[in-house]
Amino acid sequence: MSRIVIASITALLIAGHARAAEPITLRDMGSFHVGGRLVEISGKPVKEVVFAPGGVPANVDPNGTYQVEQMYVQYFLPANEKGAYPLLMWHGGGLTGVTYETTPDGREGWLNYFLRKGWAVYNSDAVERGRAGWAQYPDIFKSEPVFLTTANPFERFRIGDGPNSYDPDPAKRKVLPGNQFPVEGYENFVKQNVPRWTTTDDAAIAAYIAELDRVGPSVILFHSQAGSFGFKVAQARPDKVKALIAIEPAGIGDPARADVLKNIPTLIIYGDYIERDSRWPKIRANGIAFADAIKAAGGNVDIVDLPQAGIKGNSHMVMMDKNNLEVAALIQKWLEGKGLTK
């Protein structure tokens, strides 16, 4: 095939892609850190450290004041803003804001989708994740970090068909039938995994409250571990939360204060295969009970089980699945129905 023909085909492909996804136009973008506190550490020995091979040793005194428990936030403001309020995106456990940026197989993520719909998006790396940084343990974080094996998310996030479904050989992996997770990109997904702590929830909630105080009234979209963060932050600042979108929340708020959320429209979304999992039937039941408590107080909670809505095959990582934009469109339609778009 001649170079001219190849160039022509390439040009057509590029033109077709451009028509399918028009450029995103921003009026501004940037980032900031928010929250955190200062901590004093003392009683540690001075260490001699060589910072680079062949370098001159330097004494490093670990005693002193440290800035810890801050959160990183990156924001994108569209030129033609159509969301009535900013949209805050909060990721789950062992992950970062990369959750919403793209999919493991390179498709467009929810960050771009909602930007295209005209939402001002604030995407964060929570306390002790990614660009937020982390602190010494047990001096500040009171437990050791948790690291996940390559197999763990495959078997725990309802991608593989139960225990021992992962195999280093992709051809031998046992995937749940009809699963929409892009298993061909699974290795790219586990590259996103970062260590997490189990003793930093209060610090994370404090930082999320600080983000909400800085940004102002917002819609919050949150996933998995951030379930308890989203609901508890809304209970702390009900006047500043205009809607809650919980994607498979693994935690809930304070049931005794469910009435605080009665004026906040809430959408809870669950994926597929829950009944086949050892943990998720109970996790879902907890979420439904919390939703019922909000409704009993006069609140408005919509619960969507995706397979019952005709959207099937979703793993725990709904925003990465091959039908992720179909679910995003469902969320967008719900937001429009609640009068949250301009």
Side-chain angles (χ1 to χ4, degrees), residues 7 12 43 101 133 136 139 258 304 308 342:
L12 288 171
E101 292 176 6
Q136 296 95 319
D139 307 88
V304 176
Q308 293 181 15
K342 297 176 182 177

Side-chain angles (χ1 to χ4, degrees), residues 36-37 39 41 67-71 126-129 132-146 195-204:
R37 62 191 178 100
V39 177
I41 289 182
Q67 172 69 52
V68 300
E69 297 176 353
Q70 62 280 346
M71 183 173 72
V127 171
E128 46 103 315
R129 310 290 173 80
W134 54 281
Q136 296 95 319
Y137 60 92
D139 307 88
I140 298 169
F141 296 165
K142 299 306 179 184
S143 65
E144 294 183 351
V146 176
R196 61 168 288 189
W197 279 257
T198 59
T199 52
T200 58
D201 283 12
D202 289 346

Side-chain angles (χ1 to χ4, degrees), residues 161-204:
D161 197 358
N164 303 313
S165 57
Y166 176 81
D167 192 282
D169 182 353
K172 295 180 180 178
R173 295 172 191 171
K174 301 173 184 176
V175 181
L176 282 163
N179 194 285
Q180 293 276 7
F181 187 87
V183 291
E184 66 274 20
Y186 182 72
E187 278 66 27
N188 287 332
F189 172 59
V190 294
K191 289 175 183 177
Q192 300 176 22
N193 293 167
V194 295
R196 61 168 288 189
W197 279 257
T198 59
T199 52
T200 58
D201 283 12
D202 289 346

